[in-house]
Amino acid sequence: MFASIRGRLLPLLAVLIFAAPPASAQGPIEGSNAAGGGAAVAPAPAAPRLAFVGASISAGFGNGLTLAKALEATTAQSFTTVDASDLFTFSDEDAKSLAGVEKALAAKPDAVVALDFLFWFAYGFGKPAYEDRKASLERGLALLERFECPIYVGLIPHITDASRAMLAAESVPSAEQLAKLDAVVKAWAEKREKVTLLPVPEWLTALKTGAEIDLFGAKQRYERREILNADNLHLSRRGTLVAAALVARELAARKALDAGSLAKDLAAIEKRADEMGTSLTVVVKEPDGKLAREGHVAFRLKIPFDPELMAALSGLSDLQTPQDLAKQNPIVLRGLPLALLEIPAPEIRAYRGDFVTKTATAKLAKGDNRVILLTLERGREIAVTVRDAESRPVAGVEVVSLTERRARKLDRKDADPAARAVTDAEGRCVLRGLGAEEQKLSFRREGRTGWTGGPTVAPDAAETTITLR
């Protein structure tokens, strides 16, 4: 979906983070502060504040779990995470990354994780020449220089085997260009003792060759399909947790985390992640790919008649009333109760006037930060003709789509004009802004207060007739 915006894709860096390298590449890059040189390392505060800056991998795209949340599951230590990553970094790496850095700075972190921060400064359209990519990369490095605390920066991998539907060939720097860019990053880090470089390219090589991972104090081996999604780009939930474990290991090596508090195996991390609160993020885009700044998002819950469930879910005001996109987009709902997992998955529909999105089903799991992407499109139209028993047209008949109005959380009495029309002198009207599913209609005659059930219009039908009896 994101490939349509400037032809760019969401960073793949994630792919790289999750397999451990051969023995020579199990730790940070030689020559960086984490390789044994540099100043002495002071212990971190007992409850450190960790900030995360980066692109879609850090933001949890494709698997529903942010790197920040996953890191919380790797340790029993008490600490605060500040997630300043952005799903949309690929659309404007300069502006999005600046906003993320400023958010992280405002939190006064004790350490910063920038795992995929540099990716889009090296990749992307509009940078065919090395000098263009180098200038872009230097802008990214300049942003990272604003941090005075220790910072963990992922090196940039050479991605050549991702789906071209996700990463266009023109976006990928050549091997020669990337080698030069790699040298720029290493030279930059060499002068800054608080920078730890993470050997992401070597990790990726290990992943592709099936090398074992040095993790949890022993050799681990994971199947590629456990870590990566089918597009060879995005991470699975387990992949994100493995990545977080690798990052936590490096933080502990530099005393940013307490090594003794780290989980001893992946099963313990997965259990902790399951016990965390569940979050839901809804992103709504206009047809041209820009974020929608008008309209609403409606959540439809099917809650069975169960007093305990009803009580547990009674506080979900954000899910009970349509959310205004003018106030917030993306819409982020955090700390959702586990009782929400016991009912059918919530249905989500965004709308703006005659524009609607497809209905999405939010299948949630414990500890997830599920991301739902919706795109507004001009809604379906149904032409309605109303006639009496003698086939004469009837004017002034109000017709509504119960299906669409319920999806928007509107009842028949609501004055909102959506999915509502009144027949003209020829007995005709058009319902607009409808979803693609079948539509159940209702109508009432002029001057009447009661509504009458009308026909159900099939998904592929563009017109229907109502005959009054």
Side-chain angles (χ1 to χ4, degrees):
M1 169 181 285
F2 289 155
S4 63
I5 304 178
R6 293 175 57 189
R8 296 171 146 194
L9 168 127
L10 303 170
L12 318 175
L13 191 54
V15 158
L16 320 178
I17 307 167
F18 305 97
S24 63
Q26 288 294 317
I29 287 290
E30 242 178 80
S32 74
N33 185 34
V41 180
R49 182 180 296 269
L50 306 180
F52 294 76
V53 293
S56 61
I57 295 307
S58 294
F61 178 81
N63 60 65
L65 185 65
T66 65
L67 186 62
K69 182 63 70 175
L71 192 74
E72 292 180 26
T74 67
T75 175
Q77 182 179 358
S78 175
F79 64 94
T80 301
T81 57
V82 179
D83 187 4
S85 60
D86 196 313
L87 283 169
F88 296 95
T89 299
F90 66 93
S91 67
D92 188 341
E93 66 273 13
D94 289 287
K96 299 293 186 182
S97 299
L98 172 60
V101 166
E102 291 182 339
K103 178 180 177 180
L105 284 169
K108 301 183 185 324
D110 298 299
V112 174
V113 177
L115 196 59
D116 55 347
F117 183 88
L118 295 178
F119 185 85
W120 282 115
F121 287 100
Y123 281 66
F125 281 96
K127 308 169 187 173
Y130 167 71
E131 291 303 325
D132 296 324
R133 297 184 191 273
K134 179 174 180 288
S136 175
L137 179 62
E138 288 174 341
R139 293 196 302 272
L141 294 173
L143 289 175
L144 295 179
E145 287 177 7
R146 297 178 61 182
F147 292 108
E148 297 181 358
C149 62
I151 180 169
Y152 297 76
V153 182
L155 284 170
I156 307 164
H158 195 202
I159 304 297
T160 60
D161 57 355
S163 167
R164 286 295 175 243
M166 299 299 291
L167 184 64
E170 308 93 284
S171 298
V172 182
S174 68
E176 180 182 0
Q177 288 177 333
L178 197 61
K180 291 180 179 179
L181 296 173
D182 183 70
V184 169
V185 177
K186 290 178 179 177
W188 172 83
E190 185 68 25
K191 301 174 183 177
R192 293 164 178 83
E193 64 180 15
K194 290 186 178 292
V195 173
T196 298
L197 293 180
L198 303 176
V200 170
E202 294 180 28
W203 287 347
L204 177 59
T205 299
L207 170 62
K208 290 183 175 180
T209 58
E212 293 180 322
I213 299 176
D214 184 6
L215 195 58
F216 309 119
K219 298 294 184 182
Q220 310 290 335
R221 186 185 296 276
Y222 300 104
E223 294 291 332
R224 183 182 182 120
R225 63 177 178 271
E226 292 182 87
I227 304 300
L228 301 177
N229 289 336
D231 62 9
N232 199 34
L233 175 63
H234 299 112
L235 297 175
S236 66
R237 176 182 171 82
R238 171 167 285 188
T240 301
L241 292 172
V242 172
L246 290 168
V247 171
R249 181 189 67 188
E250 305 306 338
L251 289 169
R254 298 297 296 159
K255 299 184 180 179
L257 286 178
D258 175 21
S261 69
L262 297 184
K264 305 304 181 185
D265 54 51
L266 186 58
I269 294 176
E270 290 180 320
K271 184 175 184 294
R272 287 175 182 170
D274 286 345
E275 293 172 347
M276 290 178 180
T278 301
S279 298
L280 175 63
T281 299
V282 180
V283 183
V284 183
K285 300 196 303 178
E286 293 286 356
D288 63 2
K290 295 179 180 179
L291 282 179
R293 296 304 181 191
E294 296 181 75
H296 292 80
V297 173
F299 301 85
R300 187 177 181 189
L301 302 179
K302 299 176 182 178
I303 305 176
F305 185 75
D306 182 309
E308 291 186 6
L309 270 178
M310 295 171 71
L313 298 173
S314 62
L316 293 178
S317 58
D318 288 339
L319 296 180
Q320 295 170 356
T321 57
Q323 300 297 294
D324 190 348
L325 291 172
K327 296 180 179 179
Q328 184 183 17
N329 187 15
I331 294 171
V332 182
L333 307 176
R334 303 187 188 280
L336 297 175
L338 293 181
L340 192 61
L341 310 183
E342 300 179 31
I343 65 174
E347 295 179 350
I348 307 171
R349 167 80 68 84
Y351 55 89
R352 172 178 55 77
D354 291 342
F355 286 77
V356 297
T357 68
K358 294 179 180 179
T359 298
T361 301
K363 296 180 180 180
L364 301 171
K366 291 181 181 179
D368 269 0
N369 174 24
R370 182 63 58 199
V371 179
I372 300 293
L373 303 174
L374 300 172
T375 300
L376 290 164
E377 301 173 345
R378 185 170 293 280
R380 174 186 172 198
E381 297 183 357
I382 297 178
V384 181
T385 301
V386 180
R387 299 186 180 280
D388 62 17
E390 284 75 39
S391 294
R392 294 173 298 195
V394 182
V397 177
E398 187 176 6
V399 184
V400 300
S401 166
L402 294 179
T403 303
E404 184 60 33
R405 291 181 71 81
R406 285 170 180 167
R408 300 188 185 202
K409 294 210 165 180
L410 302 170
D411 62 25
R412 287 175 295 195
K413 298 178 182 179
D414 199 301
D416 192 298
R420 178 195 296 267
V422 178
T423 57
D424 58 19
E426 296 181 352
R428 300 178 185 279
C429 66
V430 179
L431 294 173
R432 296 183 171 86
L434 309 179
E437 66 271 38
E438 69 176 18
Q439 300 287 323
K440 175 62 177 176
L441 306 188
S442 184
F443 65 92
R444 66 178 175 182
R445 302 186 68 167
E446 188 175 15
R448 304 281 181 87
T449 57
W451 290 83
T452 302
T456 297
V457 184
D460 58 349
E463 58 184 27
T464 190
T465 298
I466 297 174
T467 301
L468 305 181
R469 302 297 181 187

